[in-house]
């Protein structure tokens, strides 16, 4: 194939299209920060926190340096440490379990639901029993709103309440989605999210936020994000981090939040169209009743026996990128394979790691490009 006949490459996520839509708004927001020079804790940080609280319905929002710090800071605030167990799904990005392990506590991995890819409440119960059998004290659970779809928060809350565990929702991929009509950010003790650029609401660097209705927790988190500072700036009262979101990223996020609702709607249209075009050749994602998604990823499952690498190569040859989230579940990765898994094992997580693949997904995917992707997928599974 010569240079001229090579198909136009499709972006997996089109940040340039979004940048174009935002026009001068982001440039002006950045210029304002460059003007006032309050690069740390500038006025945009509290403005963003107020806007995120209004958007989500959470009483308190504490922005921070990343989604990983958001998880870690809540665990630190709860005093989680050695001897404690925190239950996490295994089929997730590594930061979910990593934050637990960083505190010295033990992540105990549980399985996910085959259709939604989110935490399976029955496996959660069995993971709690596994933790106790190992002499660990189960203290918390981290459901993940994977690929943008809210977890089954009622089912998780029922188990957590019965067992006396706090719930820390990992909405790094799901912020903006809702569950039974309520936006994420308002479930459990606290919610963590990430503003990594590829996330549905991303900044132009690293960033994150924590949402909670608990005023005392919010105050502790504000201390932890500045090295555990107390009322007297030079008397640090607990361990903390350099955990702040910088003012420039806050200014960018304020502008991006203004178009976020509209982008969520556009992502849902793209997802609906994929489902119509692909539903009879691959397993398309299923939304559980009461759950919706911001489609951080559009993840399909290939028919049994499909060569996934061959499928990806066929799409690549047509200029269409794919990604595999996740080729290994957490309990299969080198750093995590010695942590406990729920009794009964994690067969669903392992199956998903073998057959999922994600297609380009963003709010600016036009119909013609999407038709190209649909045709390529259909062609690749039928060969
Ligand atoms: C489920 C999940 N949790 C946590 C994180 C961590 O976020 P960050 O990369 O901002 O630290 C991510 C980021 O990819 C994620 O997908």
């Amino acid at each position: 194939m010569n240079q001229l006949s090579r198909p136009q490459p499709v972006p997996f996520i089109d940040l340039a299209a979004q940048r174009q839509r935002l026009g001068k708004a982001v440039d002006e927001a950045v210029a304002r920060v460059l003007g006032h020079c309050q690069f740390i804790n500038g006025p945009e940080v509290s403005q963003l926190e107020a806007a995120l609280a209004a958007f989500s319905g959470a009483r308190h929002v504490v922005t921070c340096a990343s989604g990983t710090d958001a998880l870690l800071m809540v665990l630190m605030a709860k005093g989680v440490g050695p001897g404690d167990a925190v239950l996490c799904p295994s089929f997730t990005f590594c930061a979910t379990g990593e934050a637990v392990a960083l505190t010295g506590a033990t992540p105990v991995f549980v399985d996910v639901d085959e259709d939604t890819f989110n935490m399976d409440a029955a496996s959660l119960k069995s993971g709690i029993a596994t933790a106790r059998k190992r002499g660990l004290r189960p203290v918390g659970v981290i459901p993940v709103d994977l690929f943008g779809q809210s977890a089954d928060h009622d089912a998780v809350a029922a188990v957590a309440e019965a067992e006396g565990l706090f719930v820390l929702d990992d909405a790094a991929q799901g912020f903006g989605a809702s569950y039974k009509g309520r936006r994420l950010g308002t479930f459990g003790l606290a919610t963590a999210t990430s503003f990594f650029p590829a996330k549905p609401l991303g900044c132009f660097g690293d960033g994150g936020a924590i949402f909670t209705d608990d005023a005392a927790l919010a105050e502790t988190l504000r201390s932890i994000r500045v090295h555990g500072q107390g009322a007297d700036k030079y008397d640090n009262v607990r361990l903390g981090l350099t955990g702040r979101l910088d003012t420039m990223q806050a200014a960018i996020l304020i502008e991006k939040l203004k178009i976020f609702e509209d982008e969520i709607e556009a992502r849902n249209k793209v997802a609906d169209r994929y489902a119509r075009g692909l539903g009879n050749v691959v397993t398309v994602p299923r939304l559980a009743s009461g759950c919706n998604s911001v489609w951080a990823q559009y993840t399909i499952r290939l028919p049994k026996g499909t060569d996934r690498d061959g499928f990806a190569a066929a799409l690549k040859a047509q200029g269409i990128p794919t990604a595999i989230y996740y080729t290994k579940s957490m309990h299969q990765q080198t750093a995590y394979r010695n942590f406990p898994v729920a009794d009964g094992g994690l067969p669903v997580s392992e199956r998903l790691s073998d057959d999922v693949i994600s297609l380009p997904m963003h709010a600016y995917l036009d119909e013609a490009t999407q038709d190209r992707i649909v045709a390529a997928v259909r062609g690749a599974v039928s060969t």
Side-chain angles (χ1 to χ4, degrees):
M1 199 182 284
N2 68 31
Q3 195 75 24
L4 288 174
S5 63
R6 195 166 288 162
Q8 181 79 6
V10 170
F12 193 71
I13 292 172
D14 197 347
L15 291 177
Q18 186 197 51
R19 189 77 189 81
Q20 202 171 1
R21 168 176 180 184
L22 286 163
K24 285 203 201 109
V26 162
D27 304 53
E28 287 168 3
V30 168
R32 279 194 293 278
V33 178
L34 291 174
H36 65 51
C37 290
Q38 293 177 63
F39 299 118
I40 298 295
N41 278 343
E44 286 82 356
V45 174
S46 48
Q47 282 163 23
L48 173 67
E49 289 176 345
L52 288 169
F55 180 88
S56 62
R59 286 211 183 100
H60 308 279
V61 177
V62 179
T63 53
C64 60
S66 69
T68 307
D69 277 4
L71 292 166
L72 179 61
M73 285 166 62
V74 175
L75 297 171
M76 289 170 77
K78 290 298 289 175
V80 172
D84 293 336
V86 178
L87 291 295
C88 315
S90 183
F91 190 64
T92 179
F93 181 65
C94 64
T96 312
E98 182 187 38
V100 176
L102 283 170
T103 66
T106 303
V108 176
F109 294 114
V110 310
D111 215 355
V112 294
D113 175 80
E114 186 106 38
D115 290 329
T116 64
F117 311 151
N118 279 330
M119 185 179 267
D120 172 16
S123 181
L124 170 59
K125 273 194 208 156
S126 118
I128 293 167
T130 307
R132 292 209 173 102
K133 269 193 256 166
R134 302 265 188 125
L136 298 165
R137 192 172 47 247
V139 294
V141 50
I142 309 185
V144 177
D145 308 292
L146 200 75
F147 302 150
Q149 176 175 191
S150 59
D152 187 351
H153 287 288
D154 283 351
V156 171
V159 178
E161 263 164 41
E163 300 283 350
L165 312 186
F166 67 81
V167 177
L168 165 57
D169 183 22
D170 182 346
Q173 301 181 12
F175 183 66
S178 45
Y179 176 72
K180 299 191 176 169
R182 240 168 80 196
R183 275 251 156 87
L184 297 185
T186 56
F187 294 90
L189 170 73
T191 299
T193 199
S194 163
F195 299 129
F196 182 77
K199 295 291 188 261
L201 179 64
C203 56
F204 291 163
D206 280 309
I210 302 154
F211 303 74
T212 184
D213 281 350
D214 184 326
L217 176 67
E219 200 182 314
T220 306
L221 292 168
R222 288 183 197 282
S223 161
I224 287 175
R225 82 174 163 183
V226 194
H227 301 288
Q229 86 177 10
D232 170 353
K233 177 170 174 186
Y234 296 104
D235 181 25
N236 294 300
V237 295
R238 55 175 66 80
L239 297 182
L241 306 165
T242 306
R244 297 165 296 236
L245 177 74
D246 69 64
T247 312
M248 200 83 86
Q249 299 303 341
I252 290 161
L253 282 163
I254 289 170
E255 297 309 315
K256 288 212 186 186
L257 188 58
K258 291 178 188 164
I259 61 166
F260 190 38
E261 296 261 15
D262 191 57
E263 290 187 330
I264 293 172
E265 217 180 294
R267 283 172 176 274
N268 272 286
K269 283 193 184 133
V270 171
D272 288 347
R273 224 159 160 274
Y274 266 144
R276 286 197 301 275
L278 297 174
N280 61 353
V281 288
V282 296
T283 306
V284 293
R286 196 178 73 77
L287 294 179
S289 141
C291 298
N292 71 16
S293 182
V294 288
W295 302 104
Q297 303 298 339
Y298 192 85
T299 302
I300 59 172
R301 296 184 69 186
L302 298 174
K304 240 190 174 62
T306 309
D307 164 15
R308 184 168 59 180
D309 292 341
F311 173 88
L315 264 65
K316 191 172 175 205
Q318 297 184 56
I320 298 164
T322 54
I324 299 171
Y325 305 112
Y326 301 91
T327 50
K328 284 183 179 178
S329 291
M330 282 200 74
H331 71 286
Q332 298 173 308
Q333 298 177 24
T334 308
Y336 301 98
R337 70 171 59 112
N338 293 325
F339 289 116
V341 302
D343 285 358
L346 312 181
V348 179
S349 300
E350 288 172 16
R351 269 202 298 281
L352 292 174
S353 288
D354 283 341
D355 68 17
V356 291
I357 190 159
S358 303
L359 302 177
M361 164 53 82
H362 55 86
Y364 305 92
L365 192 56
D366 62 62
E367 294 193 353
T369 309
Q370 200 180 9
D371 288 345
R372 248 181 79 192
I373 300 167
V374 167
V377 170
R378 296 187 71 89
V381 284
S382 65
T383 49

